[in-house]
Amino acid sequence: MTLEEKLEHLKNLSMEEARAEGNRIITDYRAALEQVLENHKIDAKKQSEIRIKTESIHAKQQKNQALIKGQLDSKRKYSQLQQELKEKIFDETKEKLNVFMTTKAYEHYLVQKIQSALNFAGNDPIIFYINPTDQDKLATLIATNKADIRISDRDFVGGIRGVIENRHILIDYSFHILMNNAFETFTFGGDGIGRC
């Protein structure tokens, strides 16, 4: 083999080794890039799943908040409507009470309440008070019950109050107290009927 042939052979061998080395580097680089791409796809998929899950949770929270807000608004409106109806019912009741107080039945009611209080007091002295608007009934009530009945200096709408001083007892059948107690304890039942 001549020197030129040897150089040619050495050149060919070097070129083959260089090509082989270049091909190996390209193959390794391609494999590394494919691995990076695969890892990127896996990470992107995980991030996408996490984002979907986060957005789903956020959407559920917003839905729940909207639902709760709607329920609170409904309850507030329902409560407001009940309060308006309650006030209307008691306004109508006051009107009917005013009409009732102009009847003989009201005078009979006062007599019954005085008798009930006298029975409760037994032998203890009791002083009765009627509303200033019932002044016209004073003489009849005193004659009917033979009791100490006076005109109150306070307006309690109607009804009667009795005081047993030696026992420190107030018997209160005043319409003001009865109406206030009824108003405070009044609720609408499940069947739509108010309950006191």
Side-chain angles (χ1 to χ4, degrees):
M1 220 190 246
T2 66
L3 186 60
E4 272 186 36
E5 289 175 345
K6 285 183 182 178
L7 282 173
E8 188 64 32
H9 180 66
L10 186 59
K11 179 181 151 188
N12 288 338
L13 265 175
S14 293
M15 289 300 280
E16 281 180 31
E17 282 181 25
R19 275 190 212 110
E21 183 65 24
N23 286 340
R24 188 184 57 75
I25 289 172
I26 290 172
T27 303
D28 288 347
Y29 188 69
R30 181 176 284 145
L33 285 177
E34 286 176 358
Q35 186 61 46
V36 167
L37 179 63
E38 194 60 36
N39 289 342
H40 179 71
K41 286 180 182 177
I42 290 169
D43 287 345
K45 185 176 180 184
K46 284 181 183 177
Q47 287 177 357
S48 176
E49 288 172 355
I50 289 170
R51 186 170 180 205
I52 289 170
K53 194 180 282 187
T54 302
E55 290 296 325
S56 296
I57 290 169
H58 183 67
K60 284 180 185 176
Q61 287 173 339
Q62 284 182 326
K63 177 184 162 191
N64 288 342
Q65 286 175 349
L67 182 64
I68 289 169
K69 185 179 183 284
Q71 287 173 340
L72 289 175
D73 286 346
S74 292
K75 284 181 182 179
R76 183 184 48 77
K77 287 177 185 174
Y78 180 72
S79 177
Q80 185 178 6
L81 179 62
Q82 279 189 329
Q83 185 66 25
E84 289 171 8
L85 288 174
K86 181 178 173 179
E87 289 172 6
K88 185 176 180 181
I89 288 169
F90 277 84
D91 286 344
E92 290 175 8
T93 303
K94 286 176 187 174
E95 288 175 17
K96 290 183 180 189
L97 193 58
N98 288 334
V99 171
F100 170 70
M101 290 171 59
T102 63
T103 66
K104 281 287 187 188
Y106 174 59
E107 206 170 294
H108 181 70
Y109 170 83
L110 293 175
V111 169
Q112 284 181 321
K113 293 303 174 187
I114 291 170
Q115 285 301 316
S116 176
L118 285 169
N119 290 340
F120 175 78
N123 294 329
D124 292 323
I126 185 169
I127 300 170
F128 291 100
Y129 295 93
I130 60 172
N131 202 57
T133 57
D134 294 330
Q135 187 170 0
D136 60 320
K137 297 170 183 58
L138 181 63
T140 305
L141 291 174
I142 290 173
T144 306
N145 294 288
K146 297 180 178 52
D148 184 359
I149 303 173
R150 304 174 187 175
I151 305 292
S152 176
D153 59 350
R154 296 182 187 144
D155 184 7
F156 49 83
V157 182
I160 199 152
R161 289 181 171 164
V163 177
I164 305 172
E165 289 183 359
N166 63 349
R167 288 176 24 193
H168 304 288
I169 294 176
L170 170 66
I171 299 170
D172 196 342
Y173 293 120
S174 68
F175 290 166
H176 175 75
I177 291 295
L178 294 173
M179 288 292 288
N180 280 348
N181 289 344
F183 187 83
E184 293 300 319
T185 59
F186 182 89
T187 58
F188 287 97
D191 54 3
I193 299 172
R195 296 188 180 129
C196 293

